[in-house]
Amino acid sequence: MARHGGRGWYGRLVAAALGVTAVAAATSVWTAQAGQPGGGPAGAGVSAKPAAPKAAAVSPVIAHSSDAGSHAVNITIDDGPDPTWTPQVLQVLRENGVKATFCMVGPQAKAHPELVRQIVAAGHRLCDHTVSHDTGMDRKSTAYQSQQILDAERQITKASGGVRPMYYRAPGGAFTPYSRRLAASHGMRPLGWNVDSKDFERPGTDAIVSTVKRELSNGPTILFHDAGGDRSQTVAALRIVLPWLKQQGYAFGYPVR
């Protein structure tokens, strides 16, 4: 246990008060930068946490297009956050001035809230990728689907400091009419993809880059991963793909809402 030495009880009280103030200020920054409903500044009192208003419903149609126009791409990153790979992905995105959408598994967000808040603070968007990443959830009951989606939404929102996920991506694309409607009613647009980089299979950096270039004509939303194993090939591929996309004149956007 850390010792306070001669600071005494008054010094400890002042330090604690300053610490609370710092946390409140940081939370205000995170929520303000996210610019989402319910993401206003934190209250002056630490215990004053009014319930955020329910997010406005969005379309239940699976989104694929970009809000940045017809010659744009959406970078989406799945399965994290991961303490090894997410910071490296964030660094590559920062170096290239690119914003992305991070589709998070609930328990991963819960385990690494500092990474979730870094993602939000950098201007990226959040996406609900369920609790268990069950690619067969489209064959499960509606109660199970609800638990997977809503529990993850709560875990991500809490980890972020109050910023809700704006999208819902079913693991393996296992959407159902029910899950799409449920997510949309909570303000999360169902999110698909057009280009699967196949990085999850670790085929090699060159293979990942080639797949993206070959499949880009399918549409703008590109799928990468920052968790689920060694993602060094993904990081290396992003270092090549992002500058190449810029050279081709592509803008970078978010999936439509």
Side-chain angles (χ1 to χ4, degrees), residues 166-192:
M166 299 179 72
Y167 307 91
Y168 163 63
R169 173 172 276 168
F175 290 101
T176 66
Y178 173 79
S179 68
R180 290 191 290 104
R181 290 194 302 270
L182 176 67
S185 73
H186 283 253
M188 298 183 290
R189 179 77 184 262
L191 176 58

Side-chain angles (χ1 to χ4, degrees), residues 217-236:
S217 60
N218 292 340
T221 302
I222 309 174
L223 170 62
F224 295 99
H225 295 82
D226 63 342
D230 184 338
R231 301 271 73 93
S232 57
Q233 293 178 12
T234 299
V235 175

Side-chain angles (χ1 to χ4, degrees), residues 120-163:
V120 171
H124 306 293
R125 288 185 177 179
L126 305 180
C127 172
D128 180 334
H129 204 35
T130 75
V131 171
S132 303
H133 198 276
D134 182 355
T135 57
M137 65 181 291
D138 55 338
R139 299 187 295 274
K140 305 292 177 61
S141 69
T142 55
Y144 176 83
Q145 294 176 53
S146 179
Q147 176 267 324
Q148 286 286 307
I149 295 168
L150 299 185
D151 282 1
E153 180 195 19
R154 284 188 287 269
Q155 290 170 332
I156 295 166
T157 301
K158 182 177 181 179
S160 73
V163 179

Side-chain angles (χ1 to χ4, degrees), residues 48-60:
K49 291 184 178 179
K54 183 178 178 180
V58 294
S59 171

